[in-house]
Amino acid sequence: MDPKVDEYFENAQSWQKEYEQLRRIVLDCTLTEDFKWRQPCYTFNGKNIAIIGGFKEYCALMFFKGVLLKDTHNILKAPGENSQSSRQIRFTNFQEILEMETTLRAYIFEAIEVEKAGLKVNLKKTSAYTVPKELKNKLAEDLAFKKAFEALTPGRQKGYLLYFSAAKQSKTREARIENYEARILDGKGFHDCVCGLSKRLPTCDGSHKNIKKN
């Protein structure tokens, strides 16, 4: 049991009882507890299997490769419309977790077998995502920006494409591109740390929020 996870659960403003029950079940399934991305994370032989997290209307057990699970009970849900790999089992109260314990264990052990077998999720390539016209114009006009953007990893490119494309108005898309130009030129991804304080570099873990304003 990771002391950072203890602190996370103790400071949680909601779902504390549900968290502890999910934690007990997961640890009983031979997974190792860690604290990644500011959340309790559970691994098998160093490979990420699941995360426990809470939201306003529900708490969840999320499987990193949930899309590869058989989901015989039809309970897995995508965290977002662009989620290709991860899937969640959601709970709104403690009793639901108790009633689903046997099923949860089965899903966890299946997820472990998926990792043991070395199965991979076939992710969409960057070329499959829409490039908004505002970004196309920027890439055509600014060769330094084009070079920097194309040098980003596929995952970082995808993050920007999704963020830029999500804006409905052209002005907003242009503003987003302008706001993140310096970050792209610096080789940083949308979710990368830029303050240098993150303990999970290169990913931002929110440490910058602790900086006191003078």
Side-chain angles (χ1 to χ4, degrees):
M1 297 173 71
D2 193 310
K4 292 181 180 179
V5 176
D6 290 332
E7 183 179 357
Y8 175 87
F9 288 149
E10 290 170 2
N11 294 333
Q13 297 182 353
S14 58
W15 310 115
Q16 285 187 331
K17 190 177 180 181
E18 289 79 7
Y19 285 156
E20 289 297 345
Q21 183 65 6
L22 287 173
R23 184 189 203 185
R24 181 187 66 79
I25 294 171
V26 172
L27 290 178
D28 280 349
C29 293
T30 71
L31 294 182
T32 300
E33 187 172 78
D34 199 348
F35 194 70
K36 300 181 180 181
W37 306 287
R38 294 182 291 164
Q39 289 181 292
C41 180
Y42 298 88
T43 66
F44 180 81
N45 288 341
K47 302 294 185 179
N48 296 323
I49 299 294
I51 272 183
I52 293 175
F55 304 85
K56 183 178 180 180
E57 298 180 352
Y58 62 87
C59 63
L61 179 65
M62 187 199 78
F63 295 94
F64 284 88
K65 295 182 180 178
V67 72
L68 298 181
L69 302 184
K70 296 176 182 177
D71 194 18
T72 54
H73 294 275
N74 195 30
I75 54 177
L76 293 176
K77 299 183 182 296
E81 60 180 346
N82 295 306
S83 299
Q84 299 182 63
S85 181
S86 61
R87 293 293 184 269
Q88 299 174 337
I89 301 178
R90 300 174 180 177
F91 311 94
T92 57
N93 58 67
F94 179 76
Q95 188 61 33
E96 287 181 345
I97 299 174
L98 288 181
E99 293 174 354
M100 293 181 63
E101 181 166 346
T102 300
T103 300
L104 290 177
R105 289 176 181 273
Y107 275 57
I108 293 168
F109 283 123
E110 184 184 354
I112 292 173
E113 291 303 315
V114 164
E115 202 57 57
K116 283 183 178 179
L119 301 182
K120 305 290 184 182
V121 178
N122 291 322
L123 301 175
K124 289 170 61 177
K125 295 183 178 180
T126 305
S127 58
Y129 290 88
T130 300
V131 180
K133 63 178 182 179
E134 293 80 9
L135 181 58
K136 288 181 179 178
N137 293 337
K138 179 67 176 176
L139 294 171
E141 297 168 358
D142 191 330
L143 294 182
F145 180 84
K146 182 176 185 294
K147 182 178 180 180
F149 187 83
E150 292 178 346
L152 295 173
T153 62
R156 289 184 171 91
Q157 289 183 25
K158 184 188 76 172
Y160 283 120
L161 291 175
L162 291 174
Y163 179 64
F164 296 154
S165 299
K168 295 181 179 180
Q169 296 185 4
S170 179
K171 279 188 176 181
T172 306
R173 291 191 290 270
E174 289 177 349
R176 288 185 176 186
I177 293 169
E178 182 179 350
N179 289 339
Y180 280 86
E181 179 178 359
R183 185 187 287 241
I184 292 172
L185 289 172
D186 198 32
K188 300 287 186 180
F190 182 72
H191 297 290
D192 285 353
C193 172
V194 293
C195 70
L197 299 177
S198 175
K199 295 179 177 62
R200 297 288 180 181
L201 293 173
T203 304
C204 173
D205 66 359
S207 295
H208 62 274
K209 296 178 181 178
N210 296 322
I211 300 176
K212 294 183 178 179
K213 295 182 179 180
N214 295 324

